[in-house]
Amino acid sequence: AVLAPGAFWVVASNAAAFRSRYGFEPSGEYTGQLDNGGERLALAAASGDTVIDVRYNDKSPWPVEADSTGQSLVPASLAGAGDPSRPEYWKASARVHGSPGGDDAASGIDAGTPIAPAAFTLSQNFPNPFNPGTLIRFTLPKAGFVRMRVTDVLGRQAALLAAGHYAAGPHSVRWDASGLSAGVYLCVLEFGDEVRARRMLLVK
């Protein structure tokens, strides 16, 4: 995955249940084991360098709310200073179930003030290459009319995925390319006077 500055990558063990609770698609489904406490998580860069390596817990001195009142573990500060493997780096989320896909109020964000993304972005579809379904995510800095279409390499429209008014914030659209030939397609997203595009590879 390629993450823009300030972007989030959300994985869930059950995408349908996650979508029902939070109202948007996770970036992907995780098939491994994630217990409430004691699991080790590591994030590596494409170069192989470790970005973060932490074995979290839900027992004191870690925030115990993660195993009692339903909160999630979130960074104590948006600055991200400190060692994520230490319990003092973390605190309980401001709300039950946390705030996946966004900064949490407990980390220093005013819970009463929605935080809009700083830019209009179209993320690379995931998975890519894909067969036959893929997830396309985008963010809007403000509410407005959005049009998302898929074209082939000759510019002919293969699918219209979105055409309507969307609120500010993150959104996702799932595309099922069943019935189309394998090949390169272009996802084109229009928002006001701005246009973003991503190449997608359908394999069969």
Side-chain angles (χ1 to χ4, degrees), residues 84-112:
S85 65
R86 303 291 301 169
E88 58 267 20
Y89 180 91
W90 304 93
K91 67 191 311 182
S93 60
R95 296 188 297 270
V96 172
H97 306 316
S99 55
D103 291 314
D104 194 88
S107 298
I109 294 294
D110 180 1

Side-chain angles (χ1 to χ4, degrees), residues 25-42:
E25 292 280 351
S27 306
E29 283 193 325
Y30 181 73
T31 57
Q33 181 68 31
L34 278 181
D35 290 331
N36 282 344
E39 295 290 346
R40 176 174 176 261
L41 300 177

Side-chain angles (χ1 to χ4, degrees), residues 16-74:
F18 182 93
R19 181 175 60 249
S20 175
R21 170 171 287 175
Y22 295 106
F24 69 96
E25 292 280 351
S27 306
E29 283 193 325
Y30 181 73
T31 57
Q33 181 68 31
L34 278 181
D35 290 331
N36 282 344
E39 295 290 346
R40 176 174 176 261
L41 300 177
L43 178 67
S47 63
D49 296 327
T50 300
V51 178
I52 187 174
D53 188 345
V54 55
R55 184 180 293 278
Y56 65 89
N57 211 319
D58 57 7
K59 296 177 175 60
S60 183
W62 290 72
V64 297
E65 294 89 345
D67 192 32
S68 56
T69 57
Q71 272 87 349
S72 296
L73 293 176
V74 299

Side-chain angles (χ1 to χ4, degrees), residues 143-162:
F145 186 85
V146 166
R147 185 168 184 258
M148 180 186 288
R149 56 194 173 90
V150 176
T151 70
D152 62 17
V153 291
L154 298 178
R156 297 173 298 197
Q157 182 167 302
L160 179 63
L161 303 184

Side-chain angles (χ1 to χ4, degrees), residues 135-204:
L135 185 69
I136 305 166
R137 302 186 70 189
F138 63 95
T139 58
L140 302 179
K142 60 183 179 180
F145 186 85
V146 166
R147 185 168 184 258
M148 180 186 288
R149 56 194 173 90
V150 176
T151 70
D152 62 17
V153 291
L154 298 178
R156 297 173 298 197
Q157 182 167 302
L160 179 63
L161 303 184
H165 192 274
Y166 284 74
H171 301 277
S172 61
V173 175
R174 186 170 293 278
W175 180 39
D176 186 342
S178 299
L180 291 177
S181 301
V184 175
Y185 291 87
L186 195 67
C187 177
V188 180
L189 181 65
E190 302 170 33
F191 176 65
D193 296 330
E194 297 187 77
V195 179
R196 300 286 185 273
R198 293 282 186 177
R199 290 168 61 91
M200 305 182 294
L201 178 59
L202 173 61
V203 294
K204 290 191 173 182

